[in-house]
Amino acid sequence: MDFGFDARTEELRGALLAFMDEHVHPAEAVAHEQREKLASPWEVPPVVEELKAEARRRGLWNLFLPDEEHGAGLTNLQYAPLAEITGRSPQLAPTALNCAAPDTGNMEVLAQFGSAEQRERWLRPLLAGEIRSAFAMTEPEVASSDATNVRTHIAREGDEYVVNGRKWYISGAMNPDCKVFIVMGKTDPDGADVRRQQSMVLVPRDTPGVEVRRAMQVYGYEDHWHGGHAEVVFDDARVPVSNLIGEEGGGFAIAQARLGPGRIHHCMRLIGMAERAIELMCRRAVSRTAFGKPIAQQGVVQEWIADARVTVEQLRLLVLKTAWLMDTVGNRGAHTEIQAIKIATPRAVVDILDKAVQVHGAGGVSQDFPLAELWAGARTLRLADGPDEVHQRSLARRELKKYL
């Protein structure tokens, strides 16, 4: 395994670091000020569109998509260090580069499984950053970590599908630019194969019977930066059969294909968040005095900083190995490593952020520093894309099979 980055990756890293220093980080305070003056908290601050225009001008656009026809054509290993950099400002940077979830996963689905008509209607404007989208799978009535549990019904009636169900924590759905949902539900709820009961359909937001009911909070945050996490009800929402993605019964397989890259993207951004936390922790430690000496001279703080550095370097290597495997043997071949990073990364980054909060004292839980919001986002990723325990169970079974 050679993790030496190629010339193109190094060029993009340099360009992205410059973009972050010159535009993204200075825009953080501006975006907060602009948001306070908007009529709705869900409106996008004007500076975000300015960042998007500048990112496109610099060639930092759709870097996540390996499909050269639609994206930058980067491998997972090439994109990994770029995703890490964007994690240092997760509220602005991924959106500025058109590399924000859930649009990234939805674009990958459309590029890989969508029809020519679907790609023209939805993928093209998503790639251009003209609209946003949402992925509707999680439901409040069932344990949605098991996708076979979903109850939303997608029934065919003539040349239409009729969608009925209730979803929640549908990321991005509160954004006024969110124009379409990819909805996962059951087209064959009584089918013998529980993994062939599900299908995915495209449901435009303005479809009669679609109600974005409310924003769900995440540790008290509504996550205005990413379009929130909504409860959405589909009540006899009708769409043409041409809105089916792939084939009937293919929803479970499509979901698995979508989640693999999404998990590694999350983990790389988390490492960027951890790097931001370490930087803030060190700056705070050398600038604050307690009991007659700088906090940086306290043994326990030095321990936290050292452990954080070691942890980040370990996590980065594991994630880069996973990216390399995904490129060389495919997502299925990298399954164990994808689960490993999904278990290890959020857990460890939450701990680093927690120590950074502690070093900041009251400031750490305030709105004056990004740590509290970063902590909430990182802690949520121990649930999103499958909770830790599901991945631990599957990973343990794979290990045990070697001895049976």
Side-chain angles (χ1 to χ4, degrees):
M1 292 178 290
D2 180 8
F3 292 145
F5 296 120
D6 65 313
R8 188 181 183 201
T9 304
E10 289 295 350
E11 180 182 355
L12 287 169
R13 284 183 74 244
L16 182 53
L17 286 169
F19 177 63
M20 295 289 289
D21 289 341
E22 296 168 14
H23 293 275
V24 175
H25 291 308
E28 290 174 344
V30 175
H32 279 283
E33 292 173 4
Q34 290 180 347
R35 184 174 291 286
E36 291 178 358
K37 299 175 183 178
L38 296 174
S40 165
W42 304 111
E43 291 182 29
V44 180
V47 72
V48 174
E49 290 302 320
E50 296 172 15
L51 290 173
K52 289 166 67 175
E54 181 63 22
R56 293 196 75 163
R57 190 185 71 77
R58 296 183 178 218
L60 300 170
W61 192 255
N62 292 333
L63 299 176
F64 74 95
L65 196 56
D67 184 337
E68 290 188 4
E69 179 185 355
H70 302 297
L74 301 178
T75 65
N76 287 295
L77 187 57
Q78 289 175 312
Y79 179 60
L82 307 177
E84 175 184 332
I85 293 169
T86 66
R88 294 177 60 85
S89 183
Q91 290 86 359
L92 293 181
T95 301
L97 275 59
N98 210 38
C99 293
D103 295 318
T104 48
N106 291 344
M107 285 188 270
E108 288 170 339
V109 165
L110 289 168
Q112 188 173 352
F113 302 101
S115 67
E117 177 187 353
Q118 291 168 354
R119 290 197 296 269
E120 174 60 26
R121 183 176 180 187
W122 301 115
L123 179 58
R124 184 195 58 76
L126 281 168
L127 288 169
E130 297 168 355
I131 66 171
R132 302 295 301 269
S133 63
F135 183 68
M137 186 174 81
T138 305
E139 299 181 3
E141 286 87 4
V142 298
S144 300
S145 57
D146 179 358
T148 64
N149 280 341
V150 296
R151 293 181 180 177
T152 294
H153 193 206
I154 303 173
R156 180 162 183 172
E157 292 186 5
D159 59 357
E160 292 182 320
Y161 283 112
V162 184
V163 183
N164 282 282
R166 178 180 169 221
K167 304 284 189 178
W168 73 343
Y169 283 96
I170 306 310
S171 300
M174 299 301 297
N175 189 315
D177 293 328
C178 177
K179 302 300 182 184
V180 66
F181 297 93
I182 294 180
V183 181
M184 181 146 166
K186 290 189 175 179
T187 46
D188 185 18
D190 299 318
D193 185 347
V194 295
R195 296 189 176 187
R196 293 284 302 171
Q197 296 175 349
Q198 307 81 14
S199 301
M200 289 188 188
V201 294
L202 289 155
V203 180
R205 183 183 183 142
D206 60 2
T207 302
V210 175
E211 178 190 0
V212 179
R213 183 164 288 180
R214 60 172 175 158
M216 304 300 303
Q217 293 186 354
V218 178
Y219 288 106
Y221 293 100
E222 288 188 331
D223 197 5
H224 299 135
W225 298 106
H226 301 115
H229 310 279
E231 178 183 356
V232 184
V233 174
F234 300 90
D235 184 8
D236 283 341
R238 293 177 175 270
V239 297
V241 294
S242 59
N243 282 26
L244 177 72
I245 299 176
E247 62 177 2
E248 280 198 14
F252 188 92
I254 294 173
Q256 293 305 304
R258 181 186 188 278
L259 288 171
R263 286 169 180 147
I264 195 169
H265 296 172
H266 279 315
C267 288
M268 286 311 300
R269 285 192 291 266
L270 279 167
I271 292 172
M273 291 165 60
E275 288 284 11
R276 183 83 182 268
I278 293 172
E279 177 187 329
L280 290 169
M281 182 161 42
C282 289
R283 291 185 184 279
R284 184 74 165 188
V286 299
S287 65
R288 303 285 281 196
T289 299
F291 304 105
K293 61 181 179 180
I295 295 174
Q297 292 182 18
Q298 301 290 346
V300 67
V301 174
Q302 293 178 354
E303 219 174 275
W304 291 345
I305 292 170
D307 287 347
R309 172 51 56 205
V310 171
T311 298
V312 164
E313 298 303 323
Q314 291 173 328
L315 291 174
R316 183 181 289 114
L317 286 173
L318 181 56
V319 174
L320 289 175
K321 176 192 176 185
T322 304
W324 175 77
L325 284 171
M326 290 170 70
D327 292 334
T328 54
V329 297
N331 292 1
R332 186 178 295 275
H335 187 71
T336 294
E337 285 75 14
I338 291 173
Q339 289 184 316
I341 62 172
K342 179 61 176 65
I343 295 165
T345 313
R347 181 190 297 170
V349 173
V350 164
D351 184 64
I352 291 171
L353 285 162
D354 189 67
K355 297 300 191 297
V357 168
Q358 202 72 8
V359 170
H360 282 72
V365 298
S366 76
Q367 69 271 39
D368 291 345
F369 296 91
L371 292 168
E373 196 165 1
L374 290 176
W375 184 94
R379 180 60 182 85
T380 302
L381 285 174
R382 293 189 62 190
L383 293 168
D385 293 346
D388 290 0
E389 293 76 15
V390 171
H391 296 288
Q392 288 173 303
R393 173 174 174 264
S394 178
L395 189 54
R397 285 180 170 181
R398 281 175 174 262
E399 286 296 307
L400 288 166
K401 277 183 180 179
K402 301 174 185 178
Y403 303 94
L404 296 176

